[in-house]
Amino acid sequence: MAVVSPDPRCIEVCAYDDDCTMLARTVFGEARSAPPVDDAGVAWVILNRRRRVGRFPNSIRGAALQKWAFSCFNSDNPSLKAVLDPESHEPDAWGRALRVSSSVLCGRLADPTGGADHYVTRAFYLGARPTHWCKKMKVTVVLGPHVFLREKG
């Protein structure tokens, strides 16, 4: 069975990350091999979650490290080492994640997701059964390899 909680090393490594670094770490872990617009999409999903008080944690760190949330922080993720030390593993992708995250936090990059608070890959979405959680949500946009979704209501 897949691990669905953040690896304890993530809690320790991320404990002192400021909002931009935490957001960039998540963007790096989730979308570094996707087109740049997906970076902004992942960042906005976290911000959109943070704004839904009572449903999601109201901090960037809390939303990123929430159980079942972002698989890049899971113990069984093959990219976990890179996520914990992105500058050493992929400095160009890390720099891009930092630039995108800073631009999103400063309001220079608008939300390309239409208010999405979830996303999955197209392959996952297309292969999911109609009763799966992602099929019960509203698709807001498809960007690159990701389908962005919002809870109905």
Coordinates of all heavy atoms in Angstrom, one line a residue, residues 78-127:
P78 N 10.3 8.1 -5.3 CA 11.7 8.0 -5.7 C 12.4 9.4 -5.8 O 13.6 9.4 -5.8 CB 11.5 7.3 -7.1 CG 10.1 7.5 -7.5 CD 9.3 7.7 -6.3
S79 N 11.7 10.4 -5.8 CA 12.3 11.8 -5.9 C 12.5 12.4 -4.5 O 12.9 13.6 -4.5 CB 11.4 12.7 -6.8 OG 11.3 12.2 -8.1
L80 N 12.2 11.7 -3.5 CA 12.2 12.4 -2.1 C 13.6 13.0 -1.8 O 13.6 14.1 -1.3 CB 11.8 11.4 -1.1 CG 11.8 11.9 0.4 CD1 10.8 13.1 0.5 CD2 11.5 10.8 1.4
K81 N 14.7 12.3 -2.2 CA 16.0 12.9 -1.9 C 16.2 14.2 -2.6 O 16.7 15.1 -2.0 CB 17.1 11.9 -2.3 CG 17.2 10.7 -1.3 CD 18.4 9.9 -1.7 CE 18.5 8.7 -0.7 NZ 19.6 7.8 -1.0
A82 N 15.7 14.3 -3.8 CA 15.9 15.5 -4.6 C 15.0 16.6 -4.0 O 15.4 17.8 -3.9 CB 15.5 15.3 -6.1
V83 N 13.8 16.3 -3.5 CA 12.9 17.2 -2.9 C 13.5 17.8 -1.6 O 13.4 19.0 -1.3 CB 11.5 16.6 -2.6 CG1 10.7 17.5 -1.8 CG2 10.8 16.3 -3.9
L84 N 14.2 16.9 -0.9 CA 14.8 17.4 0.4 C 16.1 18.2 0.2 O 16.5 19.0 1.0 CB 15.2 16.2 1.3 CG 14.0 15.4 1.7 CD1 14.4 14.1 2.5 CD2 13.0 16.2 2.6
D85 N 16.7 18.1 -1.0 CA 17.9 18.9 -1.3 C 17.9 19.2 -2.8 O 18.8 18.8 -3.6 CB 19.2 18.1 -0.9 CG 20.4 18.9 -1.1 OD1 20.4 20.1 -1.2 OD2 21.5 18.3 -1.0
P86 N 17.0 20.0 -3.2 CA 16.8 20.3 -4.7 C 18.0 21.0 -5.4 O 18.3 20.7 -6.5 CB 15.5 21.1 -4.8 CG 15.4 21.7 -3.4 CD 16.0 20.7 -2.4
E87 N 18.6 21.9 -4.7 CA 19.7 22.6 -5.3 C 20.8 21.7 -5.7 O 21.5 21.9 -6.7 CB 20.2 23.7 -4.3 CG 21.1 24.7 -5.0 CD 21.3 25.9 -4.2 OE1 20.9 25.9 -3.0 OE2 21.9 26.9 -4.7
S88 N 21.1 20.7 -4.9 CA 22.2 19.7 -5.2 C 21.8 18.8 -6.3 O 22.7 18.3 -7.1 CB 22.5 18.9 -4.0 OG 23.1 19.7 -3.0
H89 N 20.5 18.5 -6.5 CA 20.1 17.5 -7.4 C 19.8 18.1 -8.8 O 20.2 17.5 -9.8 CB 18.9 16.7 -6.9 CG 19.3 15.7 -5.9 ND1 19.5 16.1 -4.6 CD2 19.5 14.4 -6.0 CE1 19.8 15.0 -3.9 NE2 19.9 14.0 -4.7
E90 N 19.0 19.2 -8.8 CA 18.6 19.8 -10.1 C 18.6 21.3 -9.9 O 17.5 21.9 -9.8 CB 17.3 19.2 -10.6 CG 17.3 17.7 -10.9 CD 15.9 17.2 -11.4 OE1 15.3 17.9 -12.2 OE2 15.5 16.2 -10.9
P91 N 19.7 21.9 -9.9 CA 19.7 23.4 -9.7 C 18.9 24.2 -10.6 O 18.3 25.2 -10.2 CB 21.2 23.7 -9.7 CG 21.9 22.6 -10.3 CD 21.0 21.4 -10.2
D92 N 18.9 23.9 -11.9 CA 18.1 24.7 -12.8 C 16.6 24.6 -12.5 O 15.9 25.6 -12.5 CB 18.3 24.3 -14.3 CG 19.7 24.6 -14.7 OD1 20.4 25.5 -14.1 OD2 20.2 24.0 -15.7
A93 N 16.1 23.4 -12.3 CA 14.7 23.2 -12.0 C 14.4 23.8 -10.6 O 13.3 24.4 -10.4 CB 14.3 21.7 -11.9
W94 N 15.3 23.8 -9.7 CA 15.1 24.4 -8.4 C 15.0 25.9 -8.5 O 14.1 26.6 -8.0 CB 16.2 24.0 -7.4 CG 16.1 24.7 -6.1 CD1 17.0 25.5 -5.5 CD2 15.0 24.7 -5.1 NE1 16.6 25.9 -4.3 CE2 15.4 25.4 -4.0 CE3 13.8 24.0 -5.1 CZ2 14.6 25.6 -2.9 CZ3 12.9 24.2 -4.0 CH2 13.3 25.0 -2.9
G95 N 15.8 26.5 -9.3 CA 15.8 28.0 -9.6 C 14.5 28.4 -10.2 O 13.9 29.4 -9.9
R96 N 14.0 27.6 -11.2 CA 12.7 27.8 -11.8 C 11.6 27.8 -10.8 O 10.7 28.6 -10.7 CB 12.4 26.9 -13.0 CG 11.2 27.2 -13.7 CD 11.0 26.2 -14.9 NE 10.2 25.1 -14.4 CZ 10.0 24.0 -15.1 NH1 10.5 23.9 -16.3 NH2 9.3 23.0 -14.6
A97 N 11.6 26.8 -9.9 CA 10.5 26.6 -8.9 C 10.6 27.8 -7.9 O 9.5 28.3 -7.5 CB 10.7 25.3 -8.1
L98 N 11.7 28.3 -7.6 CA 11.8 29.5 -6.7 C 11.3 30.7 -7.4 O 10.6 31.5 -6.8 CB 13.3 29.7 -6.3 CG 13.8 28.8 -5.2 CD1 15.3 28.9 -5.1 CD2 13.2 29.0 -3.8
R99 N 11.6 30.9 -8.7 CA 11.2 32.1 -9.4 C 9.6 32.1 -9.5 O 9.0 33.1 -9.3 CB 11.8 32.2 -10.8 CG 13.3 32.6 -10.7 CD 13.8 32.9 -12.1 NE 13.8 31.7 -13.0 CZ 14.7 30.7 -13.0 NH1 15.7 30.8 -12.1 NH2 14.6 29.7 -13.9
V100 N 9.1 30.9 -9.9 CA 7.6 30.8 -10.1 C 6.9 31.0 -8.7 O 6.0 31.8 -8.6 CB 7.3 29.4 -10.6 CG1 5.8 29.2 -10.5 CG2 7.7 29.3 -12.1
S101 N 7.4 30.4 -7.7 CA 6.8 30.6 -6.4 C 6.9 32.0 -5.9 O 5.9 32.5 -5.4 CB 7.5 29.6 -5.3 OG 7.3 28.3 -5.7
S102 N 8.0 32.7 -6.1 CA 8.1 34.1 -5.7 C 7.1 34.9 -6.5 O 6.4 35.8 -6.0 CB 9.5 34.6 -5.9 OG 9.6 35.9 -5.7
S103 N 7.0 34.7 -7.8 CA 6.1 35.4 -8.6 C 4.6 35.2 -8.2 O 3.8 36.1 -8.3 CB 6.3 35.0 -10.1 OG 7.6 35.4 -10.5
V104 N 4.3 34.0 -7.9 CA 2.9 33.7 -7.5 C 2.6 34.4 -6.1 O 1.6 35.1 -6.0 CB 2.7 32.1 -7.3 CG1 1.4 31.8 -6.5 CG2 2.6 31.5 -8.7
L105 N 3.5 34.3 -5.2 CA 3.3 34.9 -3.9 C 3.3 36.5 -4.0 O 2.6 37.1 -3.2 CB 4.4 34.5 -2.9 CG 4.3 33.0 -2.4 CD1 5.5 32.7 -1.6 CD2 3.0 32.8 -1.6
C106 N 4.0 37.0 -4.9 CA 4.0 38.5 -5.1 C 2.9 39.0 -6.0 O 2.8 40.2 -6.2 CB 5.3 38.9 -5.6 SG 6.7 38.7 -4.5
G107 N 2.1 38.1 -6.5 CA 0.9 38.5 -7.3 C 1.3 38.8 -8.8 O 0.5 39.4 -9.5
R108 N 2.5 38.4 -9.2 CA 2.9 38.6 -10.6 C 2.4 37.5 -11.5 O 2.5 37.7 -12.8 CB 4.4 38.7 -10.7 CG 4.9 40.0 -10.0 CD 6.4 40.3 -10.3 NE 7.2 39.2 -9.9 CZ 8.0 39.1 -8.8 NH1 8.0 40.1 -8.0 NH2 8.7 38.1 -8.6
L109 N 2.0 36.4 -11.0 CA 1.5 35.3 -11.8 C 0.0 35.0 -11.4 O -0.2 34.5 -10.3 CB 2.3 34.0 -11.7 CG 3.6 33.9 -12.5 CD1 4.3 32.6 -12.2 CD2 3.2 33.9 -14.0
A110 N -0.9 35.2 -12.3 CA -2.3 35.0 -12.0 C -2.5 33.5 -11.9 O -1.8 32.7 -12.4 CB -3.2 35.6 -13.1
D111 N -3.6 33.1 -11.3 CA -4.0 31.7 -11.1 C -4.5 31.1 -12.5 O -5.5 31.5 -13.0 CB -5.2 31.6 -10.1 CG -5.6 30.2 -9.9 OD1 -5.1 29.2 -10.5 OD2 -6.5 30.0 -9.0
P112 N -3.7 30.2 -13.1 CA -4.1 29.6 -14.4 C -5.0 28.4 -14.2 O -5.5 27.8 -15.2 CB -2.7 29.1 -14.9 CG -2.0 28.7 -13.7 CD -2.4 29.7 -12.7
T113 N -5.4 28.1 -12.9 CA -6.2 26.9 -12.7 C -7.7 27.1 -12.5 O -8.4 26.2 -12.3 CB -5.7 26.2 -11.4 OG1 -6.0 26.9 -10.2 CG2 -4.2 25.9 -11.4
G114 N -8.1 28.4 -12.5 CA -9.5 28.7 -12.3 C -10.0 28.3 -10.9 O -11.1 27.9 -10.7
G115 N -9.1 28.5 -9.9 CA -9.4 28.2 -8.5 C -9.3 26.8 -8.1 O -9.9 26.4 -7.0
A116 N -8.6 26.0 -8.8 CA -8.4 24.6 -8.5 C -7.8 24.4 -7.1 O -7.0 25.1 -6.7 CB -7.6 23.8 -9.5
D117 N -8.3 23.3 -6.4 CA -7.7 22.9 -5.1 C -7.2 21.5 -5.1 O -6.7 21.0 -4.1 CB -8.6 23.2 -3.9 CG -10.0 22.6 -4.2 OD1 -10.2 21.6 -4.9 OD2 -11.0 23.2 -3.6
H118 N -7.2 20.9 -6.3 CA -6.6 19.5 -6.5 C -6.1 19.5 -7.9 O -6.5 20.2 -8.8 CB -7.7 18.5 -6.4 CG -8.2 18.3 -5.0 ND1 -9.1 19.2 -4.4 CD2 -7.9 17.3 -4.1 CE1 -9.3 18.7 -3.1 NE2 -8.6 17.6 -2.9
Y119 N -5.3 18.5 -8.2 CA -4.9 18.1 -9.5 C -4.4 16.7 -9.6 O -4.0 16.1 -8.5 CB -3.8 19.1 -10.1 CG -2.5 19.0 -9.4 CD1 -1.5 18.1 -9.8 CD2 -2.2 19.7 -8.2 CE1 -0.3 18.0 -9.1 CE2 -1.0 19.6 -7.6 CZ -0.1 18.7 -8.0 OH 1.1 18.6 -7.3
V120 N -4.4 16.1 -10.7 CA -3.9 14.8 -11.0 C -3.4 14.8 -12.4 O -3.6 15.7 -13.2 CB -5.0 13.7 -10.9 CG1 -5.6 13.5 -9.5 CG2 -6.2 13.9 -11.8
T121 N -2.6 13.7 -12.7 CA -2.1 13.6 -14.1 C -3.3 13.2 -15.0 O -4.3 12.6 -14.6 CB -1.0 12.6 -14.3 OG1 -1.5 11.3 -14.0 CG2 0.2 12.9 -13.4
R122 N -3.2 13.6 -16.3 CA -4.2 13.2 -17.2 C -4.4 11.7 -17.3 O -5.5 11.2 -17.3 CB -3.8 13.6 -18.7 CG -4.1 15.0 -19.0 CD -3.9 15.2 -20.5 NE -3.5 16.6 -20.7 CZ -3.5 17.2 -21.9 NH1 -3.8 16.4 -22.9 NH2 -3.1 18.4 -22.0
A123 N -3.3 11.0 -17.3 CA -3.4 9.5 -17.3 C -4.1 9.0 -16.1 O -5.0 8.0 -16.2 CB -2.0 8.9 -17.3
F124 N -3.9 9.5 -14.9 CA -4.6 9.1 -13.7 C -6.1 9.4 -13.9 O -6.9 8.6 -13.6 CB -4.0 9.8 -12.5 CG -4.6 9.3 -11.2 CD1 -4.1 8.2 -10.5 CD2 -5.8 9.9 -10.7 CE1 -4.6 7.8 -9.3 CE2 -6.4 9.4 -9.5 CZ -5.8 8.4 -8.8
Y125 N -6.4 10.6 -14.3 CA -7.8 11.0 -14.4 C -8.5 10.2 -15.4 O -9.6 9.7 -15.1 CB -7.9 12.5 -14.8 CG -9.3 13.0 -14.8 CD1 -9.9 13.4 -13.6 CD2 -10.0 13.2 -16.0 CE1 -11.2 13.9 -13.7 CE2 -11.3 13.6 -16.0 CZ -11.9 14.0 -14.8 OH -13.2 14.4 -14.8
L126 N -7.9 10.0 -16.6 CA -8.6 9.2 -17.6 C -8.8 7.7 -17.2 O -9.7 7.1 -17.7 CB -7.9 9.3 -18.9 CG -7.9 10.7 -19.5 CD1 -6.9 10.8 -20.7 CD2 -9.3 11.2 -19.9
G127 N -7.9 7.2 -16.4 CA -8.0 5.8 -15.9 C -8.8 5.6 -14.7 O -9.1 4.5 -14.3

